[in-house]
């Protein structure tokens, strides 16, 4: 079919979409199902103060318990609901999309609770029909009889707040926009378009500039122990409109790491690479055209949702200079892309074209988490040259298509993606001389990926499944006789995750595997690699304090990552984190190769 057969498939599928039939559906984002009044009202207050419309539904949970399902919405399309997921994540609620009855109406309190001193109510004015009579003073010689005290008109009684079991299944209609108070944008937004901001009218404009300032401090413990990070990072974002339909966003990030000025532990090349960094973040135009939405520019394209892992998230490039230990909002690198999204009821299509690809940032040799290739044979020297990042011609253009459909609670998607591999491989050559030298040069080549994702709510559990077939990815081999030290391998990756919320307690368990159908015995991985992950979090002090634990490990060998941390949210602007990263296991393992990089750290972020 030719070299660009994938482009032809995209064209055919997009033509079919033009005749798709729209179905009637409303969508909401479920953030929890609560049995305790205190937990429910706490979550409700947090969302209400952020300006979200709220839907409530009473359901019957396991063991016959009555639960109150708390949702944000409704919204007329899947797109509208999906745009809110990054904002809810920032508030600490990992929601998912579900269909709701088209007649469902949101409930929003007219005056969200704020920390203000209580005031005594003003006395009621006298009735208009009975104006006060003028006071006529009697003569001084005559004693003035005492007048009976005038009783003020009784104020209307304030009904007590409804109890949880009295909440109506169909709440009262929302108030007008002018009745809302409190901040509309409590935190910086990431990928939601400006025309979908909270689902409110265009009169609700974002603040002039949003962003955050963050200070990170990390200390590596294994000997020789050393200061490994003292980074100061600033990200600024600005949104606006051109006319009534076109929206835009510009954002950038700058950072400077003082650790390389205070400690000379690292080689000069590492300090030069990681001391300072300036990058353009999401910067794009949003242009609607009928049932299509187009986004042109530098943007995040996230197709996977597994906790702490990358499977179906095939489009994103990543900053791997700290391995996977950074927050995902800092780890992902935007792509220069043209993206078109098509919405028809429960159906969603997404086509992407990436003319200038972004690649993973791996740092310089000698860095804490540099992805070292296999060591050279005994008696050989080693040299690693500068990485090659091909870009600028048609052969490097990436393209893909993702189709998703929500039916009976099953959110199912299929996709294909043809691109340059964002992660490098390490081909080698050998230079002769008095001391033979093995020379590695990190490089990138084209791969093809085909995958699917599935999500389903089995109350109270949430099921997620992701599977990806990758063709023609290069892997290093330990065979000295191999000319360039790399071989092509096809692989199948799949992950199954189950998640459940127990009021403020969140539990996520995942099992994943990688299978090589035509396995080369000399690559560093087995024919079937099996791993697991466990994520656990709980909230205390009305949601201000959240301990978290993430464990990822391998069942093939001794290889694991252990990440306990505590997140403190003292108010709506500050986020403070204290944590420990422990990596251990076999030197052949994904984590064990960094077993000398255990660290303690803290992060202080101010959001505005």
């Amino acid at each position: 079919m030719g070299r660009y057969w994938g482009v032809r498939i995209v064209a055919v599928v997009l033509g079919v979409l033009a005749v798709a039939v729209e179905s009637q559906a409303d969508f909401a984002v479920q953030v929890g199902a609560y049995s305790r009044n205190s937990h429910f009202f706490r979550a409700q207050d947090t969302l209400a103060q952020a300006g979200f419309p709220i839907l409530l539904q009473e359901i019957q949970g396991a063991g016959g318990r009555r639960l109150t399902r708390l949702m944000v919405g409704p919204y007329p399309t899947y797109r509208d609901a999906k745009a809110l997921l990054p904002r809810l994540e920032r508030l600490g609620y990992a929601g998912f999309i579900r269909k709701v009855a088209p007649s469902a109406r949101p409930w929003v309190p007219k005056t969200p609770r704020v920390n203000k001193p209580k005031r005594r109510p003003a006395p009621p004015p006298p009735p208009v029909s009975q104006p006060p009579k003028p006071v006529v003073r009697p003569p001084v010689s005559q004693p003035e009889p005492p007048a009976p005290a005038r009783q003020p008109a009784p104020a209307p009684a304030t009904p007590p707040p409804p109890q949880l079991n009295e909440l109506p299944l169909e709440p009262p209609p929302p108030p007008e926009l002018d009745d809302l108070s409190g901040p509309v944008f409590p935190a910086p937004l990431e990928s939601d378009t400006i025309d979908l901001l909270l689902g409110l009218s265009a009169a609700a404009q974002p603040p002039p500039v949003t962003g955050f300032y963050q200070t990170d401090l990390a200390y590596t413990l294994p000997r020789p122990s050393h200061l490994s990070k003292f980074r100061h990072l600033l990200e600024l974002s600005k949104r606006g409109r051109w006319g009534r339909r076109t929206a835009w966003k510009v954002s950038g990030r700058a950072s400077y790491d003082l650790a390389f000025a205070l400690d000379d532990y690292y080689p000069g090349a590492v300090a030069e690479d990681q001391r300072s960094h300036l990058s353009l973040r999401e910067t794009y135009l949003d242009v609607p055209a009928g049932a299509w939405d187009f986004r042109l520019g530098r943007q995040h394209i996230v197709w996977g949702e597994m906790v702490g892992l990358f499977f179906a998230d095939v489009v994103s490039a990543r900053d791997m200079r700290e391995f996977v230990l950074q927050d995902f909002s800092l780890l992902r690198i935007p792509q220069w892309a043209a993206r078109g999204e098509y919405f028809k009821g429960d159906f969603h299509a997404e086509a992407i074209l990436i003319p200038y690809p972004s690649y993973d940032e791996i740092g310089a040799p000698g860095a804490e988490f540099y992805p070292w290739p296999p060591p050279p044979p005994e008696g050989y020297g080693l040299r690693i040259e500068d990485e090659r990042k091909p870009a600028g011609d048609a052969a490097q253009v990436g393209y893909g298509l993702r189709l998703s459909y929500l039916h009976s609670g099953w959110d199912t998607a299929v996709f294909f993606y043809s691109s340059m591999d964002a992660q490098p491989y390490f081909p080698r050559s050998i230079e002769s001389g008095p001391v033979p030298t093995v020379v590695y040069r990190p490089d990138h080549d084209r791969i093809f990926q085909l995958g699917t994702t599935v999500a389903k709510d089995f109350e109270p559990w949430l099921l997620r499944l992701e599977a990806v077939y990758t063709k023609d990815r290069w892997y290093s081999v330990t065979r000295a006789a191999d000319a360039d030290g790399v071989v092509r391998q096809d692989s199948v990756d799949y992950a199954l995750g189950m998640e459940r919320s127990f009021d403020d307690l969140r539990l996520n368990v995942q099992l994943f595997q990688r299978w090589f159908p035509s396995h080369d015995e000399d690559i560093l991985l087995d024919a079937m690699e099996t791993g697991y992950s466990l994520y656990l979090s709980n909230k205390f002090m009305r949601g201000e304090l959240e301990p978290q634990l993430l464990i990822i490990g391998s069942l093939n060998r001794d290889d694991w990552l252990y990440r306990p941390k505590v997140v403190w949210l003292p108010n709506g602007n500050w986020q403070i984190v204290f944590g420990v990263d422990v990596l251990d296991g076999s030197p052949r393992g994904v984590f064990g190769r960094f077993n000398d990089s255990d660290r303690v750290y803290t992060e202080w972020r101010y959001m505005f």
Side-chain angles (χ1 to χ4, degrees):
M1 295 179 62
R3 185 173 184 178
Y4 298 105
W5 61 271
V7 176
R8 301 180 187 180
I9 294 177
V10 174
V12 172
V13 174
L14 296 184
V16 174
L17 297 183
V19 297
V21 179
E22 181 174 9
S23 61
Q24 299 296 324
D26 282 344
F27 301 90
V29 179
Q30 179 172 326
V31 297
Y34 299 89
S35 61
R36 297 184 184 178
N37 292 16
S38 58
H39 296 100
F40 166 77
F41 285 121
R42 183 189 314 160
Q44 173 186 281
D45 288 350
T46 300
L47 296 171
Q49 290 183 38
F52 287 104
I54 296 173
L55 277 174
L56 309 177
Q57 183 182 21
E58 291 188 0
I59 59 175
Q60 185 170 348
R65 293 189 307 164
R66 293 183 63 83
L67 304 175
T68 297
R69 177 181 286 160
L70 178 60
M71 297 175 285
V72 172
Y75 294 94
T77 66
Y78 181 91
R79 171 198 60 186
D80 296 16
K82 181 182 177 182
L84 298 178
L85 293 177
R87 297 199 60 232
L88 291 171
E89 285 282 356
R90 285 186 176 274
L91 290 176
Y93 295 96
F96 60 93
I97 301 171
R98 65 181 311 136
K99 187 191 294 185
V100 296
S103 60
R105 294 181 295 173
W107 172 81
V108 181
K110 289 192 175 183
T111 307
R113 188 167 61 194
V114 294
N115 296 325
K116 293 183 178 179
K118 296 182 179 180
R119 298 180 179 178
R120 293 182 177 273
V128 177
S129 59
Q130 298 180 2
K133 297 180 180 181
V135 178
V136 179
R137 295 185 178 275
V140 178
S141 58
Q142 298 179 3
E144 183 177 1
R150 184 171 182 176
Q151 300 295 329
T158 302
Q163 298 299 317
L164 183 61
N165 56 5
E166 298 174 358
L167 293 172
L169 292 181
E170 186 173 320
E176 297 297 328
L177 179 63
D178 293 341
D179 290 337
L180 294 176
S181 62
V184 178
F185 299 90
L189 308 181
E190 287 190 354
S191 301
D192 46 335
T193 57
I194 195 171
D195 57 325
L196 301 175
L197 295 173
L198 302 183
L200 302 179
S201 71
Q205 295 296 326
V209 177
T210 60
F212 64 90
Y213 172 78
Q214 180 167 321
T215 297
D216 303 326
L217 183 66
Y219 193 81
T220 300
L221 299 174
R223 295 183 179 180
S225 58
H226 57 277
L227 181 67
S228 51
K229 183 168 65 169
F230 189 17
R231 184 180 63 184
H232 301 265
L233 185 148
L234 176 66
E235 180 169 314
L236 298 177
S237 174
K238 170 70 176 175
R239 294 173 177 266
R241 286 186 180 274
W242 285 340
R244 295 181 57 87
R245 297 176 60 82
T246 302
W248 55 267
K249 177 182 179 180
V250 177
S251 64
R253 180 183 295 170
S255 65
Y256 188 84
D257 198 329
L258 284 171
F260 299 101
L262 300 175
D263 196 327
D264 59 357
Y265 175 83
Y266 296 98
V270 176
E272 184 68 23
D273 178 70
Q274 296 187 204
R275 179 186 292 112
S276 61
H277 193 65
L278 183 65
S279 63
L280 189 67
R281 304 300 294 175
E282 284 198 298
T283 300
Y284 53 73
L285 288 176
D286 279 334
V287 183
W292 285 89
D293 284 341
F294 293 96
R295 175 168 290 181
L296 311 174
R298 193 162 170 82
Q299 57 189 282
H300 290 299
I301 302 174
V302 181
W303 287 356
E305 299 180 350
M306 304 305 288
V307 175
L309 303 169
F310 289 88
F311 284 89
D313 197 1
V314 297
V315 185
S316 298
R318 298 162 292 177
D319 185 352
M320 300 295 289
R321 290 176 296 180
E322 294 183 56
F323 194 35
V324 293
L325 305 181
Q326 292 192 93
D327 184 87
F328 274 25
S329 64
L330 300 178
L331 190 146
R332 286 193 177 98
I333 299 174
Q335 293 278 7
W336 287 103
R339 174 167 56 161
E341 293 187 87
Y342 178 87
F343 299 90
K344 281 291 184 181
D346 297 346
F347 180 75
H348 172 222
E350 184 176 352
I352 60 173
L353 182 70
I354 300 178
Y356 190 88
S358 297
Y359 297 98
D360 289 357
E361 292 283 352
I362 62 172
E368 206 92 53
F369 297 102
Y370 189 81
W372 288 99
E378 186 177 353
Y380 282 73
L382 171 66
R383 187 174 78 250
I384 299 179
E385 296 185 342
D386 292 339
E387 180 181 2
R388 190 181 78 94
K389 296 183 177 181
D393 60 65
Q396 280 80 52
V397 172
Y399 53 88
L401 177 69
R402 183 177 186 268
L403 309 176
S404 64
Y405 189 72
L406 182 63
H407 178 69
S408 299
W410 290 89
D411 189 354
T412 306
V414 294
F415 64 85
F416 83 86
Y417 183 52
S418 178
S419 68
M420 300 299 292
D421 196 350
Q423 67 184 49
Y425 70 102
F426 287 81
R428 75 184 180 206
S429 61
I430 299 179
E431 292 183 354
S432 59
V435 178
T437 302
V438 177
V439 180
Y440 289 101
R441 186 185 184 186
D443 203 349
H444 300 263
D445 206 347
R446 195 167 196 88
I447 59 173
F448 175 83
Q449 293 175 292
L450 182 69
T452 183
T453 64
V454 178
K456 178 67 169 72
D457 173 25
F458 295 97
E459 194 70 45
W461 289 92
L462 173 63
L463 167 72
R464 287 192 178 99
L465 171 67
E466 296 182 3
V468 179
Y469 166 72
T470 303
K471 181 177 176 57
D472 289 339
R473 174 168 277 164
W474 291 99
Y475 289 84
S476 295
V477 292
T478 57
R479 276 195 307 271
D482 193 276
D484 56 4
V486 291
V487 294
R488 287 189 184 272
Q489 293 278 274
D490 298 345
S491 64
V492 179
D493 295 89
Y494 44 91
L496 175 66
M498 296 292 291
E499 182 170 316
R500 179 174 179 176
S501 295
F502 305 83
D503 295 324
D504 282 345
L505 178 66
R506 179 186 172 195
L507 171 66
N508 180 281
V509 181
Q510 298 173 150
L511 181 70
F512 52 89
Q513 288 187 315
R514 171 172 291 179
W515 171 52
F516 295 94
S518 301
H519 180 250
D520 189 307
E521 294 182 354
D522 289 324
I523 67 173
L524 299 178
L525 300 174
D526 295 339
M528 177 71 78
E529 292 280 341
T530 304
Y532 63 92
S533 73
L534 170 69
Y535 174 82
L536 191 65
S537 70
N538 202 357
K539 295 182 179 181
F540 301 94
M541 298 170 53
R542 296 185 58 84
E544 290 185 6
L545 196 66
E546 183 179 6
Q548 301 178 12
L549 174 63
L550 174 64
I551 302 174
I552 306 176
S554 170
L555 297 180
N556 291 64
R557 62 188 64 85
D558 183 19
D559 185 40
W560 48 271
L561 167 67
Y562 178 73
R563 299 200 71 196
K565 66 179 180 180
V566 176
V567 180
W568 180 32
L569 303 171
N571 56 44
N573 299 99
W574 280 98
Q575 175 180 287
I576 302 172
V577 179
F578 299 93
V580 179
D581 295 329
V582 181
L583 304 96
D584 205 354
S586 166
R588 291 185 55 185
V590 175
F591 306 112
R593 55 182 170 163
F594 302 127
N595 57 13
D596 291 331
S597 301
D598 300 348
R599 65 182 190 176
V600 294
Y601 69 93
T602 181
E603 301 170 355
W604 295 63
R605 175 182 290 196
Y606 179 78
M607 298 171 286
F608 52 88

